[in-house]
Amino acid sequence: MKGEKLRNLSFFLSPMVIMVGLFYLIPLVFTIYISFTKMRNWNIERYLTEVVGLYNYQRLFHMFQHDPLMRTVLLTTVVFVGITLIINVFGGLLLALGTFFINESSASAIRLLWLLPRMSPIAVYSLVWYYFFHGSEIGTLNSILMKLGVISQPIPWGQIVPWGAWSIIIFVNGLVGVSFGMIVFTSALNQIPKELIIAARVDGASAWQISKRILVPMMKWHFLYVLTWQFLSLLTTYPHLFLLVQWDLISRDYGTTLALYVYNTAFGRGEQDQGLAAAAAVLLSILGIIGGFVTLKVLQFEKMIHEPRGDIE
Amino acid sequence: MKGKMGVLLVAVVFFGVIASGCIGSQETSETKTTSVELTGDFVKDVVAIGKALESNGINEVKFSAWGSGDPNSVMRVYGIVEAARRINKIWEENGVNVKITITDTHYVASFQDAYQEYLSKQPLGQAGDFFANSYAFLSTLANEGYILDITEYANAYGSVINDFYPSLIEASKFNGKLYGLPQDTEARPLYIRKDVAAKIGFNLEGIEEKVKDGEFTWSDVYYWAKKAKESGVVEWGLIHRKGSAHPDLIQFIFAFGGKLYNEDSGKLVVDVPAIYKWLYVEWKFAQDGLLPKDIMSWDWAKQIHPTIVEGRTLFDIGGTWYWTEWQTKEYYGKEGTPRPLKPEEVQAWFAYTLFPAGEKGLKPVTLSQPFVWMINSKAGQQNPKYEELKDLYHKLAFLMVIKASDPDINAIHSVISAHLPVRKEAAKLISDEKWLNDLKNLNLKLDPKVKENIKDIVATTVHPINAKFLADVSYMLEYTKLAPAHPKYPALADIFKEAVDKVLRGEMTPEEGVNYIIQKVNADPELAQNVEIVGEIPKDWKFP
């Protein structure tokens, strides 16, 4: 009987176990291994077997101690992930709730509008904001403000540190990420029985009361999912930041998060130091694991999990 | 009769055995020809390699060419295409049934992006067989074993190698070995707007000589930039380039008598006095409103070039290639619709000199970043029997680069892209009016694909004025400096860029900028091991 249970479990779980192993576990193990080698310039043949122990970690911690940029990298990561996460999760929730209470055609149009940033190619989308926030008179924002007489000289938005640079990276990524929460929450709202809403309406409840008392409590699972997913996603995201820093729109010091630092170190223009980058990536993974764990603890993930009521034997 | 028949039979069998032995031995000797010694006679070598390939059953050799740079520099890949055509012709004329096909011409505008792509694709065997890029990357590529050591091959071609300018051949070496052939080079002049100078009484007569003699220094540049700005003729006194690891601004280090590399120790040098003076000059220009504080984040097409071509600055630190770039890109928008400049306009509006000495008693400089044709260490691997015939494929690749360095190919590239020729023979062609006319009319023997791809560029750039410009600036190569070809240099150059940006914006004083550079170098133990910090910040130094 026990063997049969094990066979059944293996059958149902194997696709997921294989996927997780192939796409998560092996890359993680490989990254950890590379962090102990002197890998650089993609030269696998030469460096993959050159194990150097904790050399990369020692170098990284030395840089954290002495390089002012490394400290701003950590600070920027905390601020960027923290604030963008709030915007993404609560912005998505607000959009989902907002569109829930209006007619379907208008709601679809609004949702589509918010999906545009996610559908646009990253380079095109970043270029739009590059020209919008450009610190000279060619920047759209500066141009508008100057025409309106609000400012007389262009403002170098991305070079005002730290908050100018931070605001732009948070804004640009916030716009992209908010649609994810919106879709998940909208889907969740559509699963809630309409009778509950109609009954509440009949009892005279306002949209705010319906949201607070009925809708939001019933989306706890989704909220937890969006929060955790977005946290991990923001911790590792870098393409938009890379382009905006590369194009000198925003200060490199306050536009570089740990994920972008890993990318630049591994594949940047100078020496491509993949061993050092792997050590930084391991650090990033540890931060991600701790952060994910804390999120689940704070939102009491365990309490949401119950034993099935029926007997499945 | 029987006996005669027997003798005849034996004779036939004997002859047959001998004949088959001869034929067999001939076949064996041909199939075993997997290596050919290079003699220095191009046709002979090409034919020998062709025959050896043919005898091994190879009738088509596939190669790919990767290049990068400004839009006018496409000969960095089409030079290889043309070389293939010329070798195919030699084979055809000598009855060799082999043909070279260039399967991929991959041209990328950003040379850094091309380098990054090459690095990632080389270990996978997907990078180009030929790679035209900055010599600055040669040391890393050679060090990693990604490009072919051609020292031995080049020894047989001394006559061609000796026609290249020696400093450029030196730039193509790493640890004393040759890893490529120079493709082009350039100088970085200081451009001066003639019309603006005339309005403020700045006499440009003999300015080149004054700069050469070190009489006209950066203090004079400051003086005239200030005068131009204060008289309201221009918006800015000076515009310069931007970007990470770009070599233009490090000319200041050389102009102030500093150095970037210690040949004895093989280490990079942070020359504190020279760097301090460089940062001070930048700071002073920016603080006095003569140079935009945010120049390092200016947009190339919408800000930097339009400001120069529209005469909104007196001075500009640029490159020789600007000369034709201004004629092919729509940077000039003063009349409403942006348009390129005409050769006559560029000539009428711009004077050009060396980068002046930092202060009296020092020398002017310029800076070159030669492009080099490098050969993949796995060149030819997409062809059959690669392991067996590797030597033939590699030598053929080398001969293709030799052919792509033909004076006319090099001269075409120089004229249409305003880069300086790397061979003396090419320099002669540029000053040949008949040849220029033939180029203008594309009346040259070139691959149809090459003609088609360069015809628009030729139409807009081939002009006696441009040829004269190239001849005029050639003397600058005598003053040229090269950024160190050291694997850690890009990291150091990146730090320089950050410091300049901070100093220009006024976030740091020049002294703080120098300390920032030192702090950043020391923060990375690996970089610190490769860098020497020499000298101290000068105490009573004055500028201007």
Side-chain angles (χ1 to χ4, degrees):
Chain A
M1 197 65 190
K2 208 173 178 182
E4 194 186 338
K5 192 177 177 182
L6 195 68
R7 268 202 304 281
N8 286 338
L9 271 176
S10 306
F11 177 76
F12 286 110
L13 288 179
S14 59
M16 196 200 73
V17 170
I18 292 168
M19 292 283 276
V20 169
L22 207 63
F23 296 109
Y24 294 91
L25 210 57
I26 292 175
L28 185 65
V29 170
F30 203 60
T31 304
I32 294 169
Y33 175 73
I34 287 175
S35 74
F36 292 110
T37 71
K38 225 175 177 178
M39 246 309 260
R40 59 191 65 204
N41 298 322
W42 290 93
N43 206 337
I44 294 167
E45 259 175 57
R46 178 180 291 185
Y47 300 116
L48 201 58
T49 50
E50 198 179 325
V51 177
V52 289
L54 292 171
Y55 171 77
N56 288 317
Y57 292 94
Q58 285 166 345
R59 202 174 142 203
L60 196 62
F61 286 117
H62 185 273
M63 287 161 85
F64 273 122
Q65 282 175 302
H66 298 98
D67 189 341
L69 175 67
M70 299 300 280
R71 271 164 268 159
T72 55
V73 163
L74 283 185
L75 190 61
T76 302
T77 309
V78 171
V79 172
F80 168 74
V81 173
I83 298 178
T84 319
L85 187 63
I86 291 168
I87 292 172
N88 285 354
V89 176
F90 289 98
L93 187 63
L94 279 176
L95 274 172
L97 288 171
T99 51
F100 183 73
F101 288 106
I102 60 175
N103 68 66
E104 190 48 39
S105 59
S106 306
S108 298
I110 292 171
R111 282 185 212 121
L112 187 69
L113 197 69
W114 282 90
L115 274 170
L116 281 177
R118 193 172 281 277
M119 291 191 289
S120 312
I122 289 170
V124 174
Y125 176 71
S126 301
L127 202 63
V128 169
W129 294 115
Y130 167 77
Y131 282 117
F132 186 79
F133 286 116
H134 199 278
S136 71
E137 62 277 8
I138 68 162
T140 315
L141 183 58
N142 275 327
S143 166
I144 292 169
L145 293 177
M146 284 168 83
K147 272 180 191 155
L148 292 174
V150 179
I151 54 171
S152 57
Q153 288 290 319
I155 297 171
W157 304 102
Q159 301 294 339
I160 301 170
V161 292
W163 282 103
W166 284 346
S167 301
I168 292 177
I169 58 174
I170 288 166
F171 178 78
V172 171
N173 281 275
L175 279 185
V176 180
V178 84
S179 60
F180 177 78
M182 180 186 74
I183 289 173
V184 174
F185 291 133
T186 303
S187 156
L189 287 171
N190 287 334
Q191 299 304 311
I192 295 171
K194 290 277 184 280
E195 295 79 10
L196 288 175
I197 317 294
I198 294 163
R201 281 283 194 210
V202 170
D203 289 345
S206 65
W208 167 247
Q209 285 167 325
I210 294 170
S211 301
K212 193 179 163 194
R213 306 275 172 150
I214 303 172
L215 303 179
V216 173
M218 293 188 84
M219 289 195 293
K220 216 173 167 187
W221 259 108
H222 304 84
F223 188 81
L224 177 69
Y225 169 69
V226 171
L227 189 73
T228 315
W229 180 271
Q230 285 291 67
F231 168 72
L232 295 173
S233 170
L234 286 168
L235 200 62
T236 52
T237 193
Y238 64 85
H240 299 93
L241 306 184
F242 168 75
L243 291 174
L244 297 178
V245 171
Q246 186 83 351
W247 294 336
D248 294 311
L249 179 76
I250 48 175
S251 152
R252 178 173 158 173
D253 289 5
Y254 292 92
T256 303
T257 58
L258 195 53
L260 180 57
Y261 174 79
V262 170
Y263 176 83
N264 281 336
T265 309
F267 312 116
R269 286 183 166 177
E271 189 176 40
Q272 300 195 345
D273 204 333
Q274 282 121 12
L276 183 71
V282 169
L283 199 72
L284 189 66
S285 302
I286 292 170
L287 284 177
I289 292 165
I290 294 172
F293 186 72
V294 168
T295 314
L296 296 178
K297 271 281 169 205
V298 168
L299 289 175
Q300 298 175 315
F301 176 70
E302 299 89 340
K303 282 191 181 175
M304 287 193 234
I305 297 180
H306 303 287
E307 284 286 325
R309 275 175 285 181
D311 189 355
I312 58 168
E313 286 290 327
Chain B
M1 189 68 190
K2 253 186 181 179
K4 273 186 186 173
M5 277 297 286
V7 171
L8 188 66
L9 202 60
V10 169
V12 167
V13 170
F14 186 67
F15 178 77
V17 169
I18 300 252
S20 67
C22 287
I23 294 161
S25 70
Q26 196 183 353
E27 268 180 4
T28 310
S29 75
E30 275 187 8
T31 48
K32 277 182 184 171
T33 310
T34 55
S35 180
V36 165
E37 281 306 309
L38 295 181
T39 64
D41 181 332
F42 189 81
V43 174
K44 192 175 163 187
D45 290 344
V46 163
V47 171
I49 289 176
K51 282 187 173 166
L53 287 170
E54 194 179 4
S55 67
N56 279 284
I58 308 293
N59 296 110
E60 186 188 22
V61 180
K62 288 179 182 170
F63 281 123
S64 56
W66 284 23
S68 59
D70 60 278
N72 290 4
S73 295
V74 288
M75 284 304 284
R76 285 175 181 156
V77 289
Y78 291 119
I80 296 290
V81 174
E82 176 57 19
R85 185 192 72 83
R86 292 180 186 192
I87 290 176
N88 285 341
K89 192 158 182 287
I90 292 172
W91 278 341
E92 203 181 311
E93 285 166 0
N94 288 273
V96 179
N97 184 26
V98 185
K99 197 179 173 194
I100 299 171
T101 313
I102 305 297
T103 52
D104 177 28
T105 47
H106 182 63
Y107 196 80
V108 181
S110 158
F111 70 96
Q112 288 106 336
D113 288 350
Y115 169 68
Q116 282 176 297
E117 198 179 347
Y118 190 89
L119 267 190
S120 62
K121 298 274 173 69
Q122 208 281 356
L124 299 171
Q126 294 168 354
D129 295 301
F130 302 97
F131 185 46
N133 210 312
S134 165
Y135 84 107
F137 301 129
L138 184 137
S139 58
T140 302
L141 293 173
N143 196 32
E144 298 295 356
Y146 287 170
I147 51 175
L148 204 60
D149 172 6
I150 56 169
T151 318
E152 288 298 315
Y153 305 160
N155 284 342
Y157 278 82
S159 57
V160 178
I161 303 296
N162 290 338
D163 192 50
F164 286 93
Y165 294 107
S167 61
L168 302 178
I169 288 288
E170 283 308 306
S172 311
K173 287 181 179 173
F174 175 67
N175 281 344
K177 291 181 177 172
L178 190 67
Y179 281 92
L181 288 186
Q183 190 272 331
D184 77 4
T185 190
E186 79 290 295
R188 287 170 162 74
L190 179 73
Y191 289 105
I192 310 170
R193 287 290 301 212
K194 290 181 188 172
D195 47 348
V196 177
K199 283 180 194 163
I200 57 168
F202 177 16
N203 182 10
L204 293 177
E205 191 71 37
I207 186 79
E208 295 91 348
E209 292 305 314
K210 285 181 196 160
V211 170
K212 266 194 220 173
D213 297 341
E215 282 173 37
F216 186 93
T217 67
W218 269 92
S219 290
D220 298 296
V221 175
Y222 175 85
Y223 171 81
W224 287 111
K226 196 166 186 213
K227 190 156 188 186
K229 166 98 183 186
E230 283 173 354
S231 62
V233 183
V234 286
E235 227 172 292
W236 305 102
L238 171 73
I239 291 294
H240 67 48
R241 300 188 77 213
K242 62 165 191 169
S244 176
H246 238 294
D248 305 61
L249 300 178
I250 61 162
Q251 289 179 107
F252 277 109
I253 295 178
F254 300 120
F256 280 109
K259 59 180 187 175
L260 259 172
Y261 183 66
N262 181 346
E263 284 176 5
D264 298 330
S265 62
K267 287 187 180 185
L268 296 166
V269 172
V270 168
D271 195 319
V272 173
I275 289 173
Y276 171 77
K277 290 173 183 176
W278 164 24
L279 296 184
Y280 192 93
V281 171
E282 299 256 17
W283 178 80
K284 182 74 179 156
F285 268 86
Q287 289 299 306
D288 292 353
L290 309 180
L291 171 67
K293 287 185 176 178
D294 56 348
I295 186 80
M296 301 300 263
S297 56
W298 269 33
D299 189 273
W300 284 106
K302 290 183 182 286
Q303 288 179 285
I304 293 182
H305 284 294
T307 305
I308 304 163
V309 298
E310 289 172 6
R312 289 188 268 134
T313 178
L314 171 61
F315 295 105
D316 167 54
I317 304 172
T320 49
W321 65 94
Y322 276 22
W323 191 265
T324 50
E325 190 170 339
W326 292 332
Q327 296 169 39
T328 47
K329 292 273 190 76
E330 293 165 346
Y331 292 141
Y332 183 78
K334 247 184 170 178
E335 295 150 5
T337 311
R339 65 166 174 88
L341 297 185
K342 295 168 194 146
E344 293 78 10
E345 287 173 327
V346 182
Q347 188 185 40
W349 293 348
F350 290 98
Y352 36 86
T353 82
L354 285 160
F355 190 93
E359 49 199 330
K360 294 258 191 261
L362 295 174
K363 288 182 176 171
V365 296
T366 192
L367 201 126
S368 298
Q369 182 178 226
F371 263 56
V372 179
W373 258 317
M374 295 171 268
I375 300 170
N376 194 321
S377 54
K378 297 171 181 169
Q381 69 167 343
Q382 51 183 320
N383 294 292
K385 299 184 183 176
Y386 175 70
E387 283 306 323
E388 197 184 329
L389 305 177
K390 195 192 279 186
D391 184 69
L392 292 176
Y393 289 128
H394 285 184
K395 281 176 179 161
L396 180 60
F398 168 74
L399 292 174
M400 283 185 68
V401 171
I402 286 278
K403 193 53 36 201
S405 305
D406 270 357
D408 62 326
I409 297 179
N410 193 229
I412 292 171
H413 168 73
S414 295
V415 174
I416 68 175
S417 72
H419 284 89
L420 298 177
V422 290
R423 291 186 61 171
K424 294 160 204 162
E425 288 298 322
K428 281 182 202 164
L429 273 181
I430 288 171
S431 49
D432 180 344
E433 210 171 305
K434 185 193 169 297
W435 182 83
L436 271 177
N437 262 331
D438 286 342
L439 174 60
K440 179 83 187 169
N441 301 317
L442 274 177
N443 187 24
L444 298 171
K445 282 181 185 166
L446 291 170
D447 188 289
K449 185 180 170 187
V450 176
K451 276 192 185 178
E452 181 58 30
N453 279 287
I454 66 170
K455 73 174 183 199
D456 291 342
I457 305 171
V458 164
T460 49
T461 58
V462 180
H463 195 284
I465 287 177
N466 298 340
K468 184 180 176 302
F469 168 75
L470 285 180
D472 282 355
V473 294
S474 293
Y475 80 94
M476 291 185 181
L477 287 182
E478 292 167 33
Y479 296 82
T480 201
K481 303 276 182 188
L482 300 174
H486 189 290
K488 289 285 178 189
Y489 175 69
L492 183 62
D494 231 16
I495 297 173
F496 286 155
K497 183 247 174 179
E498 284 173 41
V500 170
D501 191 24
K502 288 176 192 298
V503 165
L504 283 171
R505 289 180 193 280
E507 288 171 25
M508 286 181 181
T509 63
E511 192 168 354
E512 286 167 343
V514 173
N515 292 331
Y516 174 80
I517 291 169
I518 295 171
Q519 186 188 14
K520 289 281 285 183
V521 168
N522 287 331
D524 179 356
E526 227 171 70
L527 186 59
Q529 275 173 15
N530 284 281
V531 176
E532 287 172 6
I533 294 162
V534 298
E536 286 177 2
I537 293 174
K539 283 200 174 131
D540 299 316
W541 187 75
K542 292 263 189 304
F543 178 86

